[in-house]
Amino acid sequence: MNTTHLSSEQSEESIKYVCGIDIGSQSCSGCIMKPKKEMVVKPITFANSKDGWRKLLEHLGQLEASPDQIAIGIEATSRYHENLYEELRRRGYQMRLLHPGQTHHFHQQQGLRAKTDRLDALTIARVLLSGEERAGYLPNDQVATYREVVRLHTQLSEEVARYQNQIQALVVVLFPEFFQVFADPCLPTALAVLKAYPHAQAMGQAGVEAVYQVLRAVPATHFGYPTAEKLVKLAQGSYSSGRALSGRANSLRILCDQLEHTQANLRRLEEEMEQLVRTDPRTHGLQQIAELGPKTVAVLRAELGEVDRFAHTDQAVAYAGMDVKIKESGKWKGKAKLSKRGSGLLRQMLYLAALRSIRLEGSAFGAYYHHLVERGLKKMSALMAVMRKMVAVATHLIQTGEDYDPSKVWIGIAARGVAL
């Protein structure tokens, strides 16, 4: 009788083979083993395409087992695994999606130093056989859509901040007096002027009328002829060094274009995000929490995923990386820290929401924070407790679809006399 440690709903005898696949953007490596760790197909390489998959499917088809008797492990590697995973799942294979950190830890435990795609495929197969497998999951279409939108929104927001910093730095050397007229050179009117005249010499030579026409062309601007006169006068008396004018001017124009384009895409994403939240029945209770803005709600839906898989809220807190990790050895006791597993974006948004609750009048979360501080808890520790409370409340509201009741956030809120 074949025995295996596979964590499957099926009986141990039903799994006759395990297959480990290491995924790459262009190519994959895979191997097939029996439950007694006997190698059936040594690691092979195949293209990560429909034609390339045939090589793997031929080997799987030659096994003396039906698809439901073959367990296949794949690492969750960006988006590269998704197409092959779905293809194999549709064919009836027992799929296991593994976190890369799990296979890396197992690799280290085995004392293996070399790391290649073929060895990684072998490691994945051995993880399935070891009994240490912790299978992940593929989010449903709605959660996947949330993730695409919020993660791209975050990426573009960071790009906007980078472009703004670069524009500020260039304006300092090309036309330092510009800040006397426009405190923020990244506002629409300022960007229009900088694209037309990216340095002091160009603006000084253009004259007041030309600069005035640029100002007028910007919709809903309140800048007029006096502003144009002041800009030209400052430009003609500028103390700019005038070094590398051509290269810096081109860089400034490109950065201004990139900033405007990225900001336009951000607005499109924000509209899509608001539409997702507005039409999602599971966000009904979350939208009633004043401390959570539209993006925070979207991030909670994206990064917590399908919360029905959590048996209790403590699992959601741990999934968000908000559980406490303690290290002790003998008489030595380490400092308690957050595990910080899972999504850093989720923790960032929760941190901002917790800060907002402290200053928000009538906030149940804010009242809970002040209560903890009054009891002697350090402010940062109290803030972390509020973040954990937010995860617990959000998980409950998403699971049940209930209305948000601030009196249930903290049992002592009524005694505190907070107006909710």
Side-chain angles (χ1 to χ4, degrees):
M1 179 181 68
N2 290 336
T3 59
T4 175
H5 295 289
L6 282 164
S7 55
S8 167
E9 293 180 358
Q10 293 182 309
S11 64
E12 293 181 348
E13 294 84 352
S14 66
I15 299 298
K16 294 184 177 181
Y17 298 92
V18 297
C19 174
I21 302 176
D22 182 67
I23 298 285
S25 60
Q26 301 298 321
S27 65
C28 307
S29 293
C31 70
I32 302 175
M33 301 176 69
K34 286 187 175 180
K36 291 185 177 180
K37 301 185 180 179
E38 177 187 342
M39 186 69 68
V40 178
V41 177
K42 292 183 179 180
I44 57 172
T45 300
F46 56 93
N48 192 3
S49 65
K50 193 167 185 177
D51 289 337
W53 299 343
R54 291 197 184 100
K55 186 176 180 180
L56 173 69
L57 292 170
E58 286 173 4
H59 285 289
L60 292 172
Q62 292 170 3
L63 300 175
E64 297 178 355
S66 59
D68 65 339
Q69 295 175 317
I70 302 172
I72 301 178
I74 296 181
E75 276 188 341
T77 309
S78 185
R79 304 175 181 88
Y80 302 143
H81 66 278
E82 193 170 302
N83 293 331
L84 178 56
Y85 183 98
E86 283 298 318
E87 175 67 20
L88 294 171
R89 186 189 63 80
R90 281 196 295 266
R91 290 174 178 267
Y93 292 99
Q94 299 298 310
M95 301 305 299
R96 309 286 189 269
L97 189 63
L98 306 179
H99 192 285
Q102 182 181 174
T103 54
H104 176 70
H105 179 67
F106 184 85
H107 185 89
Q108 289 182 319
Q109 280 184 324
Q110 301 302 307
L112 302 174
R113 295 184 180 181
K115 188 181 187 305
T116 65
D117 292 342
R118 293 188 172 209
L119 283 176
D120 286 346
L122 192 58
T123 299
I124 292 169
R126 286 173 174 167
V127 169
L128 293 182
L129 295 172
S130 69
E132 298 179 17
E133 167 212 346
R134 297 189 305 277
Y137 84 107
L138 276 180
N140 62 30
D141 284 352
Q142 186 179 47
V143 172
T145 302
Y146 269 113
R147 289 186 178 182
E148 291 293 335
V149 172
V150 301
R151 291 177 183 180
L152 182 56
H153 184 277
T154 301
Q155 179 185 334
L156 294 186
S157 297
E158 292 170 353
E159 289 181 8
V160 163
R162 185 166 63 253
Y163 291 145
Q164 290 173 334
N165 290 337
Q166 291 174 313
I167 288 170
Q168 293 259 4
L170 281 171
V171 173
V172 165
V173 293
L174 289 171
F175 189 2
E177 296 81 7
F178 191 79
F179 294 100
Q180 296 180 30
V181 179
F182 296 101
D184 183 357
C186 298
L187 293 176
T189 306
L191 289 174
V193 174
L194 289 173
K195 286 167 66 177
Y197 309 107
H199 52 80
Q201 289 84 337
M203 193 169 300
Q205 293 169 6
V208 175
E209 186 61 32
V211 174
Y212 172 61
Q213 293 303 322
V214 173
L215 291 171
R216 283 190 60 190
V218 180
T221 181
H222 62 275
F223 299 101
Y225 208 84
T227 303
E229 287 180 326
K230 186 174 182 180
L231 280 170
V232 172
K233 183 178 179 181
L234 289 170
Q236 291 171 345
S238 177
Y239 63 86
S240 170
S241 68
R243 297 183 62 193
L245 278 183
S246 177
R248 286 171 171 169
N250 285 334
S251 295
L252 183 56
R253 284 193 173 106
I254 291 170
L255 286 169
C256 290
D257 280 334
Q258 287 290 94
L259 177 60
E260 290 177 332
H261 181 67
T262 307
Q263 286 175 328
N265 284 332
L266 267 178
R267 288 191 289 272
R268 289 172 55 193
L269 284 172
E270 285 164 2
E271 291 173 3
E272 185 177 355
M273 193 184 303
E274 290 173 2
Q275 174 70 10
L276 274 172
V277 171
R278 190 165 54 249
T279 58
D280 181 4
R282 289 207 161 198
T283 65
H284 172 71
L286 296 181
Q287 293 181 70
Q288 298 171 352
I289 303 177
E291 294 85 350
L292 306 183
K295 184 175 181 182
T296 306
V297 172
V299 168
L300 282 164
R301 288 289 282 124
E303 302 301 338
L304 287 178
E306 297 158 51
V307 296
D308 292 336
R309 70 189 194 280
F310 300 130
H312 46 80
T313 55
D314 285 348
Q315 291 180 345
V317 171
Y319 183 79
M322 295 300 301
D323 54 327
V324 177
K325 178 176 66 175
I326 300 175
K327 290 184 178 181
E328 294 181 357
S329 179
K331 295 182 179 179
W332 176 82
K333 180 180 285 189
K335 186 177 181 181
K337 297 180 180 179
L338 295 181
S339 68
K340 293 189 177 179
R341 293 172 295 190
S343 170
L345 173 60
L346 175 57
R347 290 191 295 276
Q348 177 187 347
M349 298 304 295
L350 288 170
Y351 179 74
L352 295 174
L355 284 178
R356 194 179 306 124
S357 73
I358 296 172
R359 302 175 179 86
L360 185 63
E361 185 176 352
S363 168
F365 294 101
Y368 179 58
Y369 167 85
H370 292 299
H371 165 72
L372 294 176
V373 172
E374 288 170 5
R375 288 182 56 189
L377 200 63
K378 292 181 180 179
K379 291 183 178 180
M380 185 55 69
S381 298
L383 205 60
M384 297 301 107
V386 171
M387 292 167 63
R388 283 192 287 273
K389 181 71 75 173
M390 285 181 168
V391 173
V393 171
T395 301
H396 176 76
L397 292 177
I398 295 171
Q399 286 178 332
T400 63
E402 295 177 0
D403 287 332
Y404 169 61
D405 183 355
S407 66
K408 294 181 180 179
V409 169
W410 168 48
I411 196 170
I413 195 166
R416 196 176 180 90
V418 176
L420 302 175

